């Protein structure tokens, strides 16, 4: 356990509210708060109890409060910790913080409470990072992914992989001590099978990052099509509000319009764009150029067309420009003849037919958006990689293991095998924090809010 000074910070968002929580942690926590608290003697009370009293500046009452006690090691930081629930006046909050600092505490740095939890062995680094993801989660999918990581699902998998590899690494290192005697303690076939087994777990984790990134950051979804195809009407239907101006005049949308939609626990960042055609003026030309830029950045494209106003050859030409997965959506189906619809269906069997103005088949389109994103079924509790740092270290681990396999096929000596295995172990250890640097920790925890 770290022997660190006592820190204090506001744990709830700043601003006026009914209640605010001030968190204090460190070896002097109980003695500092006890000097300011008028009620029971906090230093003599049991852990995990709550006490009513007043915070005082001398004899002046600052506020009536509830004080929650958590004695080491049974606290978030594994240090003595107190949480003071006071009224949410900014004046009261600042007054209590100043009194606690005056008694010997200091203001906590960003993420310092969670950093102490990590340093004291309460969380590993992957779990600590998941705390920030949980706070930032804004969808069911991102929430469940963060909860799973905090509860150690990802960390347990990494620890198991690393432990299996350490056992073989120790045998190969032992061989190096007997280098002149030409002995093998580590069976090469067993090592090869072990690496295959590890990669069966490793590669799906690496591949899950694409979906994990979507879960964490949302899906940039661009709605494109010719002018008057109904893009703005579709955006309004999906959002269930009049976000975009709708008009029979072609080229109404001149700039990019963005909003968010949550479907099936996933956040879609919907982007309505200017119609794709040869621009008639400078402003429209800028809008069309921005549409093309959004297409380049999109994770998913919704290509909306009016079948009564477009030829099959036009669709084929447009699809050649797409660099992302797409949905073909035929609008104004209520105005389409059965023969024309059959012609399009024969050419493209995956067309989704809707009528944005009549709100027809919009729910099916929403369901299809979710299915398009979830190219692999992810069940509740599955491990999904959402952190770029984790993804990079997993990829580097896999690269090192591939080097081991290549070395085995070429019958290279144990010292070279040992070096590649050490690289693999290093990168696995970087994920959970078994191997860290001060710069790495400073970078990770600086992104947290102050009270966490």
């Amino acid at each position: 356990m770290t022997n660190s000074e006592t820190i204090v910070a506001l744990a709830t968002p700043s601003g006026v509210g009914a209640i605010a929580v001030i968190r204090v942690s460190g070896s002097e926590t109980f003695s500092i708060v006890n000097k300011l608290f008028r009620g029971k003697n906090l230093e003599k009370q049991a852990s995990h109890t709550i006490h009513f009293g007043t915070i005082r500046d001398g004899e002046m009452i600052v506020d009536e409060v509830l004080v929650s006690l958590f004695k080491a090691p049974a606290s978030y930081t594994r240090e003595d910790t107190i949480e003071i629930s006071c009224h949410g006046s900014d004046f009261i909050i600042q007054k209590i913080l100043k009194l606690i600092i005056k008694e010997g505490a200091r203001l906590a740095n960003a993420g310092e409470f969670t950093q102490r939890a990590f340093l004291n062995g309460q969380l590993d680094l992957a779990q600590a990072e998941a705390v920030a993801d949980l706070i930032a989660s804004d969808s069911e999918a991102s929430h469940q992914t963060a909860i799973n990581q905090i509860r150690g699902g990802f960390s347990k998998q990494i620890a198991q992989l690393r432990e299996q590899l350490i056992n073989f690494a120790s045998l190969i290192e032992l061989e190096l001590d007997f280098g002149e005697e030409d002995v093998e303690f580590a069976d090469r076939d067993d090592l090869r099978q072990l690496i295959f087994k590890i990669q069966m777990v490793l590669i799906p984790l690496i591949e899950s990052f694409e979906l994990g990134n979507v879960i964490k950051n949302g899906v940039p979804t661009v709605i494109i099509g010719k002018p008057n195809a109904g893009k703005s009407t579709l955006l309004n239907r999906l959002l269930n509000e009049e976000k975009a101006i709708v008009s029979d005049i072609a080229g109404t949308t001149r700039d990019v319009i963005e909003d968010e939609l949550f479907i099936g626990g996933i956040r879609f960042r919907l982007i309505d764009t200017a119609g794709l055609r040869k621009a008639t003026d400078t402003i429209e030309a800028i809008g069309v150029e921005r549409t093309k830029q959004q297409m380049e950045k999109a994770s998913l494209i919704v290509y909306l067309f009016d079948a009564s106003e477009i030829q099959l050859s036009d669709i084929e030409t447009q699809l050649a420009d797409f660099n992302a997965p797409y949905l073909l959506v035929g609008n104004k189906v209520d105005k389409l003849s059965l023969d024309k619809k059959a012609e399009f269906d024969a050419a493209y069997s995956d067309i989704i037919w809707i009528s944005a103005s009549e709100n027809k088949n919009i729910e099916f389109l929403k369901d299809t958006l979710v299915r398009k994103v979830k190219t692999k079924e992810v069940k509740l509790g599955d491990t999904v990689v959402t952190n770029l740092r984790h993804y990079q270290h997993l990829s580097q681990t896999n690269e090192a293991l591939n080097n081991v396999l290549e070395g085995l096929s070429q019958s290279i000596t144990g010292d070279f095998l040992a070096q590649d295995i050490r690289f693999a172990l290093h990168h696995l250890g970087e994920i959970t924090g078994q191997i860290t640097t001060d710069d790495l920790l400073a970078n990770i925890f600086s992104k947290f809010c102050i009270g966490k």
Side-chain angles (χ1 to χ4, degrees), residues 25-98:
S25 182
S27 57
E28 301 300 317
T29 293
F30 281 81
S31 62
I32 287 174
V33 177
N34 204 41
K35 293 174 186 176
L36 305 171
F37 182 74
R38 194 69 60 87
K40 291 183 179 179
N41 185 338
L42 300 178
E43 294 183 279
K44 295 182 178 179
Q45 306 309 310
S47 181
H48 291 70
T49 56
I50 300 176
H51 305 277
F52 173 77
T54 58
I55 294 290
R56 302 202 180 200
D57 181 6
E59 291 303 315
M60 185 186 78
I61 297 176
V62 177
D63 196 17
E64 292 184 337
V65 299
L66 288 175
V67 176
S68 304
L69 311 182
F70 307 92
K71 291 190 175 181
S75 74
Y76 180 67
T77 59
R78 302 198 76 179
E79 302 171 336
D80 284 341
T81 300
I82 283 179
E83 292 182 356
I84 302 170
S85 298
C86 62
H87 290 95
S89 154
D90 188 59
F91 170 78
I92 292 172
I93 293 166
Q94 295 303 318
K95 183 71 173 177
I96 295 174
L97 286 172
K98 287 177 182 177

Side-chain angles (χ1 to χ4, degrees), residues 195 199 394-406 417 419-425 427:
I195 291 174
Q199 287 183 322
L394 288 169
S395 298
Q396 288 166 318
T397 299
N398 193 49
E399 182 181 346
L401 293 179
N402 282 331
N403 290 338
V404 175
L405 290 175
E406 185 178 351
L417 289 177
Q419 184 176 357
D420 288 325
I421 293 175
R422 286 190 209 110
F423 283 141
L425 289 170
H427 289 299

